[in-house]
């Protein structure tokens, strides 16, 4: 029983006993009960947050492992993607060029058929983003591989039909350049060596000493020999199938109009005639009258590594001879 409480009454100058109603005691009991429950609940919640049960610990370890495996998988996919990109680049720039098949547009190669329902099962997971992204990348890779294999099927078919074309279309370098040291400047916008202004360079320059042999790069017929404004002494060969090649700045022409040539035959010697800043061969490949990048027409000469090196060398802007 609680001790009785008093308060001093200044009017009567006596201590008077304080009387409490039942309601007061009920309120006190409820207050104590409530604060006890709240404190207990608070400790319980803190415990749950601070300590894992063994089962939770096991699950979170598993989770960590899975996440690191996913990350590893992603890195492996990076490597696969790199290899695939390389194959796609060669496919568009070499294999398909050889058979005049249109390059497969980027949009088709990367077409990402995304059906978001597909990834619904992966939602509502703490690692949703990682899992969905990994699955999407995997699907995209499979699709790109599928398109790539279709392209190769098409090329095999074209190859069977194109034996003769292979004889004729330009496919080697026009001078001896096994070590690629003679590649001077490639196709594209280059600084003009004389006017020092940007200008479109429609062919590729090979630096070589005057008198070095120049070879025809595919079977064909000579359609022009002689002087051409800017080009100096020039030979043009028609290969059929829409192809022509042009050899400029020659010191000596060693063929005649109308001559039938086999790939690799000598047609002249390197010189510096016409608009030229030093002995070199300016070489152009044209398809249906339009200048093409000659770098894509050395596939009988160059291994894939050499091809890559050639592309890098020909991107060099410094040494155009025109
Ligand atoms: Zn040139």
């Amino acid at each position: 029983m609680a001790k009785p409480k008093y308060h001093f009454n200044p009017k009567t100058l006596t201590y008077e006993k304080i009387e409490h109603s039942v309601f007061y005691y009920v309120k006190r009991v409820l207050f104590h009960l409530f604060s006890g429950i709240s404190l207990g609940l608070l400790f319980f919640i803190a415990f749950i947050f601070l300590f894992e049960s063994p089962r939770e610990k096991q699950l979170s370890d598993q989770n960590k492992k899975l996440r690191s495996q996913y990350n590893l998988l992603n890195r492996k996919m990076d490597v696969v993607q790199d290899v695939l990109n390389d194959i796609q680049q060669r496919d568009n720039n070499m294999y398909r060029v050889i058979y005049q098949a249109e390059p497969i547009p980027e949009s088709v190669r990367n077409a990402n058929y995304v059906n978001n329902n597909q990834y619904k099962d992966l939602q509502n997971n703490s690692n949703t983003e990682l899992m969905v992204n990994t699955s999407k990348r995997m699907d995209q890779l499979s699709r790109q591989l599928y398109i790539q294999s279709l392209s190769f099927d098409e090329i095999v078919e074209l190859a069977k039909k194109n034996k003769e074309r292979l004889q004729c279309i330009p496919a080697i370098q026009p001078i001896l350049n096994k070590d690629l040291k003679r590649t001077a400047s490639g196709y594209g916008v280059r600084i003009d060596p004389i006017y020092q202004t940007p200008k479109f360079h429609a062919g590729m320059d090979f630096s070589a000493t005057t008198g070095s042999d120049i070879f025809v790069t595919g079977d064909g017929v000579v359609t022009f020999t002689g002087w051409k404004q800017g080009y100096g002494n020039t030979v043009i060969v028609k290969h059929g199938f829409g192809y022509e090649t042009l050899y400029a700045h020659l010191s000596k022409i060693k063929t005649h109009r109308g001559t039938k040539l086999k790939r690799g035959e000598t047609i002249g010697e390197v010189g510096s005639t016409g608009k030229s800043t030093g002995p070199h061969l300016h070489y152009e490949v044209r398809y249906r009258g339009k200048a093409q990048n000659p770098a894509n027409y050395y596939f009988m000469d160059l291994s894939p590594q050499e091809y890559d090196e050639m592309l890098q060398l020909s991107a060099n802007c410094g040494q155009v001879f025109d």
Side-chain angles (χ1 to χ4, degrees), residues 185 201-206 249 280-284 320-322:
S185 182
H201 190 231
M204 191 179 254
D205 289 346
F206 294 88
H249 311 301
H280 80 286
L281 169 69
H282 172 92
Y283 173 61
E284 287 181 17
V320 79
F321 287 86
D322 220 6

